[in-house]
Amino acid sequence: AQTVTQSQPEMSVQEAETVTLSCTYDTSESNYYLFWYKQPPSRQMILVIRQEAYKQQNATENRFSVNFQKAAKSFSLKISDSQLGDTAMYFCAFMKPYGQNFVFGPGTRLSVLP
Amino acid sequence: DAGITQSPRYKITETGRQVTLMCHQTWSHSYMFWYRQDLGHGLRLIYYSAAADITDKGEVPDGYVVSRSKTENFPLTLESATRSQTSVYFCASSEAGAANEQFFGPGTRLTVL
């Protein structure tokens, strides 16, 4: 079974700085998909970024980018120019190929400080 | 553009009572999911459905029942609620196909006394 680990329960960053959230996973699959979801205080789950394991290029969405290290089974999220609205829980999630179900990590609570 | 809705948003019940959480989506997505969110565990899958009348267990199905008679609805029933089922419940939906984004409802906070 797949497992997803987020080793940082809480983090904080100053507004406009850069922060990196860690995620590691365990799988025997060679192809799969990885996601980062954001959950602000409103509780709404919002997709931040998605990565396909067979693509070597790291995904980027505006201020959000990932560092995908397949051999190390690591999928970290970098947030540049942090904004107050980035304050949220961030969940890393794994999906098998031809699957529809997520396995989520326990989450990292990020606070952006003014 | 209603998207995906859940009702009720908050519910307090007592041990042993039956509770049904409702989920409705307007996109005609094939797949629907129920998760529970607990501190330290992230979101864990309870049940999912690939289409009307097709459901399957997830990671934590015990104590829950689902049905899907219509594509747009996916109710979750706790037949005899227990305190350990106090949680925040999220419904989600997605189109069929690999790596499609799941769209989440706003969640239902359930407290079992």
Side-chain angles (χ1 to χ4, degrees), chain B residues 25 29-30 32 49-53 67-71 73-74:
Chain B
Q25 52 107 353
H29 284 167
S30 300
M32 295 188 75
S49 168
D53 297 322
S67 62
R68 195 164 177 209
S69 57
K70 293 184 178 181
T71 299
N73 296 324
F74 191 39

Side-chain angles (χ1 to χ4, degrees), chain B residues 14 52 89 102:
Chain B
E14 294 177 340
Y89 291 85
Q102 289 186 16

Side-chain angles (χ1 to χ4, degrees), chain A residues 7 22 36 59 83 85 96 110:
Chain A
S7 59
S22 300
W36 279 98
Q83 300 175 359
K96 290 195 294 186
L110 176 67

Side-chain angles (χ1 to χ4, degrees), chain A residues 20-108:
Chain A
T20 298
L21 309 183
S22 300
C23 172
T24 58
Y25 56 92
D26 186 25
T27 184
S28 58
E29 304 281 350
S30 59
N31 193 25
Y32 44 86
Y33 304 91
L34 296 162
F35 298 73
W36 279 98
Y37 271 84
K38 167 185 177 181
Q39 186 182 44
S42 66
R43 268 195 344 227
Q44 186 66 46
M45 292 285 286
I46 302 165
L47 177 65
V48 175
I49 201 163
R50 146 178 48 196
Q51 174 81 39
E52 299 173 40
Y54 65 86
K55 290 187 176 179
Q56 293 185 341
Q57 186 173 3
N58 289 324
T60 299
E61 289 286 344
N62 300 314
R63 298 182 295 106
F64 298 88
S65 62
V66 299
N67 183 4
F68 173 49
Q69 301 290 328
K70 191 173 184 179
K73 297 180 181 176
S74 171
F75 183 60
S76 59
L77 175 69
K78 186 172 81 170
I79 305 174
S80 304
D81 185 25
S82 296
Q83 300 175 359
L84 296 178
D86 295 333
T87 292
M89 282 287 288
Y90 287 82
F91 293 99
C92 179
F94 173 98
M95 182 183 286
K96 290 195 294 186
Y98 309 111
Q100 300 288 335
N101 302 336
F102 282 129
V103 175
F104 282 92
T108 295

Side-chain angles (χ1 to χ4, degrees), chain B:
Chain B
D1 184 350
I4 182 164
T5 56
Q6 293 183 233
S7 62
R9 295 293 310 278
Y10 300 89
K11 176 73 177 178
I12 299 174
T13 191
E14 294 177 340
T15 302
R17 290 190 179 267
Q18 182 179 80
V19 178
T20 296
L21 309 184
M22 304 302 292
C23 178
H24 176 78
Q25 52 107 353
T26 60
W27 295 304
S28 298
H29 284 167
S30 300
Y31 279 81
M32 295 188 75
F33 309 84
W34 275 107
Y35 295 91
R36 60 178 289 172
Q37 182 178 11
D38 304 289
L39 192 64
H41 290 280
L43 280 76
R44 291 180 292 175
L45 183 66
I46 304 170
Y47 270 94
Y48 67 100
S49 168
D53 297 322
I54 300 175
T55 62
D56 209 346
K57 295 178 180 179
E59 181 185 353
V60 289
D62 293 344
Y64 303 95
V65 175
V66 294
S67 62
R68 195 164 177 209
S69 57
K70 293 184 178 181
T71 299
E72 61 268 28
N73 296 324
F74 191 39
L76 176 73
T77 297
L78 290 66
E79 292 192 305
S80 179
T82 65
R83 290 181 180 171
S84 64
Q85 293 177 309
T86 292
S87 187
V88 179
Y89 291 85
F90 286 93
C91 179
S93 71
S94 72
E95 295 178 335
N100 281 323
E101 177 183 357
Q102 289 186 16
F103 295 87
F104 286 80
T108 295
R109 181 177 294 277
L110 176 68
T111 301
V112 183
L113 302 176

